């Protein structure tokens, strides 16, 4: 298969939160259409990488660069990144009181459409866009009339993230531990929905602690992040190796290098 | 003290003059009210119930008892204050019933001044029987000056499908005080919705001292909405007291937008078993506005449920005070009571005080409460921005959500839409 164009190029990325440097020089190249998985032990910096790429203001970029679709990613506000096709499925989706799921998602879609010079969708048009996407995650309208994530179960919150992904159709989707807290049925539904969204013009970065999600979503490349650096990259088989051997041997390898 | 004496003096003049033809029981009620007020005087901040609210601008102000409306507006002028087009409507200006502005009415939806003489027994049975005056100077003062206000009576097993609107307008051209007194009696197994609105035509300083008593009979259901949009220079003091019978449902919705100083005492007594109460409130304040909501839910019977939700949105130097007292009496077993008060501070100078007061004297009950005071949640802000919504829009959306959460519980769709538009308008300022 012909390789796609480079979409994301991370070079020597260093980032800190609350004064602690978590990322200590991350290098990563993702091309259009590729699915990359980042695995690693707790505290290795996986979620930090996801948050930094999405532009969370609490994280301080201390060095390195990220080029995204030919732009300097750090020149863009979080909303500008989103409008340019960056999407983060949150590990802990946020509850928003008083705003229905439907209103929230339509506001997001319209903000993105507006930035592209496209017409905003009224509630009826939006309902049509929504219909097929809801079906893919096994939901009906009732979930859309509830306040965003309020009173949702862990699994419902994660499905909601995938629904947003399906509606907003990003070019680069980051899934931050989307598998955590899911039972096996929910995991399968989420994986299936992601697989349906795989496309030559859409890349994925899947952050996960466990290999089990990768039983259902086969990545093109697997990276291991340990102590703020990518210490090993390989094919899908690397995930299985990690599942069998754990992370300790890699942490030692990181110390040596 | 001078002002207390002045008010008592103006009562004497009023009682011996125009209203001296009142029946004895009403005279007694008034006399009791003024005696109580004279004894109590104005509250001060050393009193627990008034810790955060000074009524000095009222106590030291000079407000004359309105003798008649300063002017009578046209129907077109009052239209912007009508939150609903359909249904019965009673309109009051400076406390006086305006027949010409009201819809054709009948004996059960009437001005209190009229029914006091025409339906004495019914009025006498209920008026002043629910609201406390013992330690409440403002409701005592209102009781002293009882003369006009709205009277709504829904006979047993009667359903009034259209909401009944009660509109209290201040002409706002002179510093006057009005003491509107409302009595709502929903008899056994009856049902009605009421929308009580306070607003001003002019922007002069004035004082409203209102009392509303709401009686909900056994198996009855009442939906009572109260919208306070007084002028920014107005002083608004009010008491809403409800009394519920067995297996009754009462949904109380309170929205406060206006007033320089607003104090609202809300009391709800659940007197019969199996009652359900929703107390749903919003205060949206800016500038130097001060609003104090003091709520008391009294679980006097078993198997009742009360759910209380109050949200405050405070901008500029505004101050919101919320006190949520819940009393569960001995024997009120299986009480299910939930209270939340969330305050959103949009400015570093805005301030909110929130204090739950739970007094539980029964052992088999479920009571929860929670309150928050703080700025917009930065996590929610980032969540929205990460979805492409710009920062300003994200702030507006989250702020709107705080208000929308309360409005979302209101069942009358056109009313909800009107209030939604007012909220959006205020947030866009």
């Amino acid at each position: 298969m012909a390789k796609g164009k480079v979409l994301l190029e991370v070079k020597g990325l260093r980032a800190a939160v609350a004064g602690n440097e978590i990322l200590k020089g991350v290098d990563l190249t993702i091309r259009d259409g590729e699915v990359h998985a980042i695995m690693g032990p707790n505290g290795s910096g996986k979620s930090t990488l996801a948050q930094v790429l999405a532009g969370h203001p609490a994280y301080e970029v201390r060095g390195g660069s990220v080029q995204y679709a030919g732009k300097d990613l750090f020149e863009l506000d979080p909303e500008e990144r989103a409008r340019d096709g960056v999407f983060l499925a949150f590990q802990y989706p946020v509850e928003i009181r008083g705003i229905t799921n439907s209103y929230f998602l339509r506001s997001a879609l319209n903000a993105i459409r507006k930035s592209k010079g496209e017409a905003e969708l009224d509630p009826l048009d939006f309902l049509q866009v929504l219909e097929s996407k809801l079906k893919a995650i096994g939901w009906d309208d009732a979930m859309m009339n509830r306040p965003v994530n309020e009173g949702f179960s862990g699994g419902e919150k994660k499905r909601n993230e995938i629904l947003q992904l399906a509606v907003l159709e990003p070019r680069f989707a980051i899934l931050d531990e989307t598998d955590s807290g899911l039972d096996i049925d929910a995991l399968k539904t989420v994986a299936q929905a992601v697989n349906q969204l795989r496309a030559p013009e859409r890349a994925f970065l899947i952050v996960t602690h466990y290999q089990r999600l990768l039983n259902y979503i086969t990545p093109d490349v697997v990276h291991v992040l340990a102590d703020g650096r990518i210490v090993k990259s390989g094919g899908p088989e690397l995930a299985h190796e990690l599942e069998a051997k754990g992370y300790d041997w890699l942490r030692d390898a990181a110390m040596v290098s | 003290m001078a002002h207390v004496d002045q008010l008592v003096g103006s009562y004497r003049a009023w009682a011996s003059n125009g209203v001296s033809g009142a029946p004895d029981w009403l005279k007694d009620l008034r006399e009791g009210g003024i005696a109580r007020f004279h004894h109590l005087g104005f509250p001060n901040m050393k009193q627990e119930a008034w810790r955060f609210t000074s009524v000095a601008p009222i106590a030291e102000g000079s407000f004359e008892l309105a003798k008649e409306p300063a002017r009578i507006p046209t129907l077109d002028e009052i239209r912007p204050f009508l939150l609903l087009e359909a249904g019965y409507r009673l309109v009051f200006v400076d406390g006086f019933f305006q027949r010409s502005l009201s819809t054709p009415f009948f004996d059960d939806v009437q001005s209190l001044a009229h029914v006091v003489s025409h339906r004495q027994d019914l009025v006498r049975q209920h008026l002043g029987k629910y609201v406390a005056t013992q330690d409440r100077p403002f409701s005592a003062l209102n009781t002293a000056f009882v003369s006009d206000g709205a009277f709504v009576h829904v006979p047993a097993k009667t359903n009034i499908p259209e909401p009944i609107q009660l509109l209290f307008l201040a002409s706002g051209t002179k510093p006057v005080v009005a003491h509107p007194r409302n009595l709502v009696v929903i008899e056994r197994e009856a049902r009605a919705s009421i929308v009580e609105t306070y607003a001003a035509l002019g922007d002069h300083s004035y004082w409203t001292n209102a009392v509303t008593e709401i009686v909900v009979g056994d198996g009855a259901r009442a939906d009572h909405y109260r919208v306070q949009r007084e002028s920014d220079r107005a002083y608004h003091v009010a008491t809403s007291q409800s009394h519920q019978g067995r297996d009754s449902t009462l949904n109380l919705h309170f929205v406060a937008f206006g007033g320089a100083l607003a104090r609202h005492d809300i009391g709800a007594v659940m007197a019969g078993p199996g009652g359900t109460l929703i107390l749903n409130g919003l205060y949206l304040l800016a500038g130097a506005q001060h609003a104090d909501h003091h709520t008391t839910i009294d679980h006097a019977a078993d198997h009742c449920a009360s759910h209380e939700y109050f949200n405050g949105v405070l901008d500029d130097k505004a101050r919101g005070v919320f006190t949520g007292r819940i009393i569960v009496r001995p024997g009120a077993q299986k009480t299910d009571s939930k209270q939340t008060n969330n305050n959103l501070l949009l400015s570093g100078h805005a301030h909110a005080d929130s204090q739950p007061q739970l007094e539980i004297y029964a052992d088999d009950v479920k009571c929860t409460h929670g309150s928050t005071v703080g700025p917009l949640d930065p996590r929610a802000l980032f969540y929205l921005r990460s979805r492409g919504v710009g920062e300003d829009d994200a702030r507006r959306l989250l702020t709107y959500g705080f208000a929308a959460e309360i409005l979302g519980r209101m069942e009358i769709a056109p009313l909800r839409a009107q209030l939604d538009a007012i909220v959006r308008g205020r947030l866009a300022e």
Side-chain angles (χ1 to χ4, degrees):
Chain A
M1 191 178 85
K3 280 192 170 180
K5 274 186 3 195
V6 170
L7 177 64
L8 183 85
E9 186 149 48
V10 180
K11 281 186 179 163
L13 177 61
R14 288 167 45 233
V17 64
N20 296 321
E21 190 157 300
I22 309 289
L23 300 181
K24 298 172 180 171
V26 172
D27 297 300
L28 176 67
T29 302
I30 298 178
R31 295 168 181 276
D32 278 331
E34 288 181 346
V35 175
H36 288 233
I38 292 219
M39 301 183 70
N42 288 327
S44 59
K46 304 187 299 288
S47 282
T48 298
L49 178 61
Q51 299 279 348
V52 167
L53 292 177
H56 195 296
Y59 293 83
E60 174 202 348
V61 174
R62 288 192 169 171
S65 67
V66 177
Q67 289 287 312
Y68 168 76
K71 289 182 183 170
D72 177 353
L73 191 70
F74 296 140
E75 289 291 307
L76 305 177
D77 285 335
E79 54 269 38
E80 293 171 325
R81 297 181 199 192
R83 292 167 194 165
D84 278 349
V86 176
F87 179 90
L88 170 65
F90 280 52
Q91 182 181 3
Y92 304 109
V94 182
E95 299 178 3
I96 301 179
R97 60 162 31 109
I99 300 296
T100 64
N101 219 10
S102 174
Y103 189 80
F104 165 73
L105 193 45
R106 188 164 65 89
S107 301
L109 181 60
N110 279 338
I112 292 171
R113 288 179 67 95
K114 204 171 152 190
S115 75
K116 292 179 183 161
E118 294 169 3
E120 297 185 37
L121 299 182
D122 66 26
L124 281 178
D125 295 338
F126 176 69
L127 219 58
Q128 286 191 331
V129 170
L130 198 60
E131 209 169 353
S132 63
K133 318 272 181 180
L134 275 174
K135 220 170 275 169
I137 57 160
W139 272 6
D140 59 33
D141 292 351
M143 295 300 286
M144 300 311 292
N145 296 324
R146 290 170 54 180
V148 181
N149 291 325
E150 221 176 61
F152 285 28
S153 69
E156 285 170 344
K157 285 183 180 175
K158 297 301 176 78
R159 277 182 208 218
N160 205 21
E161 295 295 290
I162 301 305
L163 174 68
Q164 293 169 29
L165 167 58
V167 170
L168 301 180
E169 301 182 319
R171 189 171 172 193
F172 176 47
I174 307 160
L175 274 57
D176 188 6
E177 307 228 9
T178 298
D179 52 334
S180 67
L182 292 185
D183 64 39
I184 190 69
D185 290 331
L187 185 80
K188 280 183 186 168
T189 310
V190 164
Q192 215 166 31
V194 170
N195 283 329
Q196 280 174 18
L197 292 165
R198 286 179 80 156
E201 67 282 356
R202 180 171 300 129
F204 286 87
L205 179 62
I206 298 173
V207 172
T208 179
H209 183 73
Y210 304 103
Q211 174 260 341
R212 65 176 193 150
L213 179 64
L214 307 179
N215 287 335
Y216 303 100
I217 304 172
T218 311
D220 298 302
V221 187
V222 175
H223 308 276
V224 181
L225 191 68
D227 195 28
R229 287 187 189 86
I230 288 178
V231 294
K232 197 171 173 64
S233 300
E237 70 288 347
L238 179 55
H240 295 281
E241 202 178 335
L242 288 165
E243 184 75 0
K245 293 209 260 180
Y247 289 112
D248 286 350
W249 61 284
L250 282 165
R251 204 177 277 154
D252 298 341
M255 303 272 277
V256 173
S257 67
Chain B
M1 274 313 269
H3 194 62
V4 171
D5 294 338
Q6 200 181 316
L7 277 163
V8 173
S10 94
Y11 169 80
R12 292 276 166 244
W14 175 78
S16 63
N17 198 356
V19 294
S20 53
D24 285 346
W25 66 268
L26 184 58
K27 282 183 181 165
D28 290 348
L29 188 69
R30 287 173 179 156
E31 285 295 329
I34 200 65
R36 202 64 220 158
F37 175 74
H38 199 177
H39 173 78
L40 292 169
F42 283 102
N44 63 63
M45 293 176 81
K46 288 187 197 120
Q47 294 164 343
E48 177 63 27
W50 295 88
R51 267 174 70 198
F52 301 109
T53 299
S54 163
V55 297
I58 297 171
E60 290 158 18
S62 184
F63 300 96
E64 230 178 278
L65 183 68
K67 302 277 187 321
E68 57 184 359
R71 69 181 189 88
I72 296 168
T74 64
L75 191 57
D76 278 344
E77 276 181 282
I78 70 162
R79 225 179 279 283
F81 304 105
L82 292 171
L83 294 168
L84 292 163
E85 286 189 12
Y88 298 109
R89 174 176 83 222
L90 300 178
V91 179
F92 300 81
V93 177
D94 295 336
F96 297 91
F97 179 58
Q98 300 303 310
R99 188 174 295 255
S100 62
L101 296 171
S102 304
T103 51
F105 48 95
F106 54 103
D107 274 358
D108 282 325
V109 179
Q110 257 290 3
S111 110
L112 186 70
H114 180 78
V115 290
V116 153
S117 47
H118 288 76
R119 304 187 74 184
Q120 263 198 64
D121 291 348
L122 185 61
V123 176
R124 190 178 176 182
Q125 185 190 339
H126 294 290
L127 190 68
K129 293 294 190 295
Y130 309 100
V131 71
T133 51
Q134 196 61 22
D135 54 351
R136 306 287 177 94
F138 289 104
S139 51
L141 188 63
N142 174 286
T143 301
F145 285 102
V146 162
S147 61
D148 210 353
F151 171 78
V152 175
H153 175 244
V154 184
K157 302 194 179 187
T158 305
N159 178 12
I160 301 186
E162 295 287 354
I164 299 160
Q165 284 191 87
L166 317 174
L167 176 59
F168 298 86
L169 286 168
S171 49
T173 53
K174 284 197 292 196
V176 293
V177 54
H179 304 275
R181 178 69 173 232
N182 307 309
L183 178 61
V184 175
V185 181
I186 317 284
E187 302 274 14
R188 184 170 52 86
E189 291 168 60
R191 179 169 178 179
S193 302
I194 288 144
V195 181
E196 180 185 349
T197 302
Y198 294 81
L201 295 161
D203 63 355
H204 207 288
S205 177
Y206 58 90
W207 171 24
T208 303
N209 179 35
V211 170
T212 301
E213 290 176 286
I214 304 164
V215 192
V216 186
D218 292 351
R221 170 174 168 172
D223 294 77
H224 193 103
Y225 297 77
R226 189 184 198 278
V227 180
Q228 189 269 95
R229 341 164 39 183
E230 302 270 31
S231 92
D232 287 351
R233 296 177 63 200
Y235 300 102
H236 183 90
V237 182
T239 300
S240 299
Q241 179 66 51
S242 65
H243 185 93
Q244 280 180 259
R246 171 189 284 267
D247 300 319
S248 64
T249 300
L250 175 61
N251 299 316
L252 293 171
H253 303 277
F254 298 111
V255 184
F257 296 119
L261 170 62
R263 161 77 178 217
H264 190 189
D265 284 84
I266 297 159
V269 175
M270 309 195 75
T276 303
L277 169 71
I278 288 176
L279 215 166
N280 184 47
L282 170 68
Y283 40 99
L284 206 119
L285 311 173
Q289 286 184 295
H290 179 118
D292 180 346
H293 288 86
H294 203 275
T295 73
T296 305
I297 298 174
D298 187 343
H299 280 268
D302 55 291
H303 290 86
C304 290
S306 69
H307 290 181
E308 180 173 15
Y309 315 89
F310 261 85
N311 281 7
V313 179
L314 309 167
D315 203 352
D316 306 325
K317 287 194 246 168
R319 180 152 185 199
V321 180
F322 173 83
T323 305
R325 188 169 169 216
I326 293 170
I327 305 164
V328 181
R329 303 274 174 195
Q333 302 296 12
K334 302 291 179 189
T335 288
D336 176 2
S337 171
K338 180 176 151 189
Q339 176 191 93
T340 60
N341 172 231
N342 296 304
N343 293 280
L344 177 58
L345 305 180
L346 294 176
S347 134
H349 301 289
H351 188 87
D353 297 288
S354 178
Q355 36 177 18
Q357 293 177 351
L358 271 59
E359 296 164 38
I360 301 171
Y361 306 104
D363 53 14
D364 186 12
V365 302
K366 196 170 89 186
C367 291
T368 62
H369 67 92
S371 78
T372 61
V373 176
L376 285 173
D377 178 3
R379 296 173 316 130
L381 205 52
F382 176 60
Y383 193 51
L384 278 165
R385 294 179 73 191
S386 80
R387 296 298 181 254
V389 179
E391 191 172 352
D392 287 347
D393 285 342
R395 283 181 190 282
R396 245 192 305 277
L397 192 66
L398 292 174
T399 306
Y400 167 72
F402 235 81
E405 184 177 49
I406 299 300
L407 301 186
R409 292 194 188 91
M410 301 178 174
E411 286 180 27
I412 303 173
L415 175 65
R416 195 172 61 229
Q418 287 276 339
L419 292 172
D420 192 272
I422 297 171
V423 165
R424 284 175 188 275
R426 285 189 64 110
L427 295 180
E429 276 169 16

